Amino acid sequence: MKAGLLTLAALSAVAVAQPAHNHRHRHAKKDAAYVTDVEYVTATAQGPVVYVDGNGNPISTSYPAAAAPTVAAAAYSAPAPVAPAPSPETSAYVAPSSAAAPPPPAYTAPAASSAPAYSAPASSSAAAPASSPDVSSSGHGITYSPYKGDGTCKSADEVTKDFGGINGYSIVRIYGTDCNQVANVLSAASAKSMKVFAGIYNINNVAAEAQLIIDAAKSNWGIIDTVSVGNEGVNSGQYTVDQVAGAVSSAKSILSGAGYSGPVVTVDTFVAIIANPGLCNVGDYVAANCHAFFDSSKTADEAGAFVLSQVQRVSAACGGKKTVITESGWPSAGSANGAVVPSPANQQAAVSSIKSAFSSNIFLFTAYNDYWKKDNAGTFGAEHHYGILGDCPSG
């Protein structure tokens, strides 16, 4: 009689989870690893003959008329899980939850945490007209929305009161034309020697919104630095690049016919621009939103270096074209996103980091807390709390 070897092997299983996020992002995935356990059991059976080669390796087995032996294997006990090896750092920027955005190219961290202040490339394939004031000469900007907590419009006096608390910024960005905001903001901004980055929000209503900007400007185009058409429309999946390009072209034609000679651009996320390089050619310069808060591996003091690295990626993807960050901020309250923690101290650290990394071509998001906004699963309960200056003076 011969003795046979029976080998039992336990197979490992790997579970992978990768949640997604709003404003703008993607979480690094973690893998669970298990050890494979091998146990040898020897059993004796009647009749079989195992033929082996010179090295003892089985070649074949023959059985007589009796049934082949059965072997009782020892009960398998799953080994304790072991910690996986650390995975390399990747960008965790998640696209808005309102639509699936193209996955971002792999993020490469900047070589040093302290980045030099960003200056736009000197040349561009679609440079802004020389007669228009340039964002690069305006220093830091800030965004503002003229809505009350219940979403209704603020009056001209309330907008003026809000602007009384905005100091140290030389340009303000608004997003649309409703609530008579263009006229109200132009008046409040000019009183503080600030320029305005105006916006046409609905690309399907370009003619009407462009006319509201024309009427509010009253031919005083010197105060308007830039006009944007749309905000994150490609990233959200709402519009195609061609649709946005057509809207920008239409707006530029209407505005130039009224005497405006400044830049006209579209705004989208840095992720969408890199994934859709056709956006590079849509406006007079590249305008991108970028929030370090939605990269779960970045701490507040790394915000400036992170945003700067994305500017460099966008500019490289767009052939060195001038790139302006039209939103970048950090909330003072909400839920943590990995290593990212919203708090007043972290907001202050992030804003300081961003200002240190950029001497110009940056809009901080946002002036005051926007209680009219709605949170969702991807905003970490933070949508109301991006106000760098806290709550609005006008209430």
Side-chain angles (χ1 to χ4, degrees):
M1 291 186 293
K2 303 289 184 181
L5 292 179
L6 175 66
T7 301
L8 300 179
L11 301 179
S12 63
V14 178
V16 178
Q18 194 171 35
H21 165 59
N22 177 48
H23 240 303
R24 322 337 128 206
H25 314 107
R26 197 171 294 281
H27 306 288
K29 74 181 179 184
K30 305 273 187 185
D31 292 336
Y34 295 90
V35 176
T36 300
D37 190 21
V38 179
E39 185 172 355
Y40 294 92
V41 179
T42 302
T44 301
Q46 293 292 331
V49 177
V50 179
Y51 297 92
V52 299
D53 60 18
N55 296 318
N57 298 314
I59 299 173
S60 63
T61 303
S62 65
Y63 292 91
T70 58
V71 179
Y76 172 67
S77 176
V82 297
S87 57
E89 179 182 277
T90 57
S91 176
Y93 191 88
V94 178
S97 57
S98 58
Y107 166 66
T108 302
S113 59
S114 58
Y118 172 70
S119 296
S123 61
S124 167
S125 58
S131 60
S132 170
D134 186 9
V135 176
S136 63
S137 66
S138 303
H140 299 136
I142 196 165
T143 68
Y144 172 79
S145 296
Y147 309 113
K148 298 180 182 180
D150 61 2
T152 58
C153 301
K154 290 189 174 183
S155 67
D157 288 343
E158 288 171 319
V159 171
T160 299
K161 187 173 184 178
D162 286 346
F163 269 74
I166 301 175
N167 299 299
Y169 297 92
S170 54
I171 183 169
V172 62
R173 179 191 174 196
I174 56 177
Y175 294 80
T177 58
D178 59 332
C179 296
N180 199 35
Q181 65 178 288
V182 182
N184 291 344
V185 169
L186 284 176
S187 175
S190 63
K192 303 205 70 169
S193 300
M194 298 174 68
K195 293 188 180 296
V196 175
F197 182 117
I200 294 172
Y201 190 81
N202 184 356
I203 75 168
N204 295 317
N205 196 32
V206 166
E209 291 202 44
Q211 189 60 50
L212 288 172
I213 294 174
I214 292 168
D215 293 344
K218 298 178 181 178
S219 299
N220 181 22
W221 293 114
I223 191 174
I224 295 184
D225 183 278
T226 298
V227 176
S228 66
V229 181
N231 185 65
E232 301 186 359
V234 172
N235 185 82
S236 69
Q238 189 174 5
Y239 306 120
T240 65
V241 173
D242 287 344
Q243 287 173 319
V244 172
V248 170
S249 177
S250 177
K252 193 172 182 71
S253 175
I254 294 169
L255 291 167
S256 64
Y260 174 70
S261 59
V264 179
V265 302
T266 190
V267 175
D268 224 300
T269 66
F270 77 90
V271 175
I273 295 168
I274 293 172
N276 298 274
L279 285 170
C280 298
N281 303 317
V282 170
D284 291 310
Y285 59 80
V286 184
N289 293 342
C290 179
H291 295 263
F293 178 76
F294 294 106
D295 186 308
S296 62
S297 69
K298 300 303 172 193
T299 56
D301 61 344
E302 297 174 309
F306 172 81
V307 176
L308 178 59
S309 70
Q310 305 312 320
V311 169
Q312 293 166 341
R313 292 178 66 209
V314 170
S315 183
C318 294
K321 192 170 183 178
K322 171 184 169 181
T323 301
V324 174
I325 293 297
T326 41
E327 277 188 17
S328 192
W330 193 283
S332 62
S335 301
N337 173 25
V340 175
V341 179
S343 72
N346 283 343
Q347 182 184 60
Q348 185 177 5
V351 169
S352 176
S353 175
I354 293 168
K355 285 183 174 181
S356 294
F358 291 80
S359 61
S360 59
N361 295 319
I362 188 82
F363 286 81
L364 276 298
F365 181 86
T366 183
Y368 299 109
N369 291 326
D370 290 322
Y371 293 109
W372 56 272
K373 289 187 175 181
K374 305 296 183 183
D375 272 305
N376 59 46
T379 60
F380 301 95
E383 278 292 273
H384 298 165
H385 306 292
Y386 280 86
I388 295 169
L389 306 175
D391 292 342
C392 294
S394 65

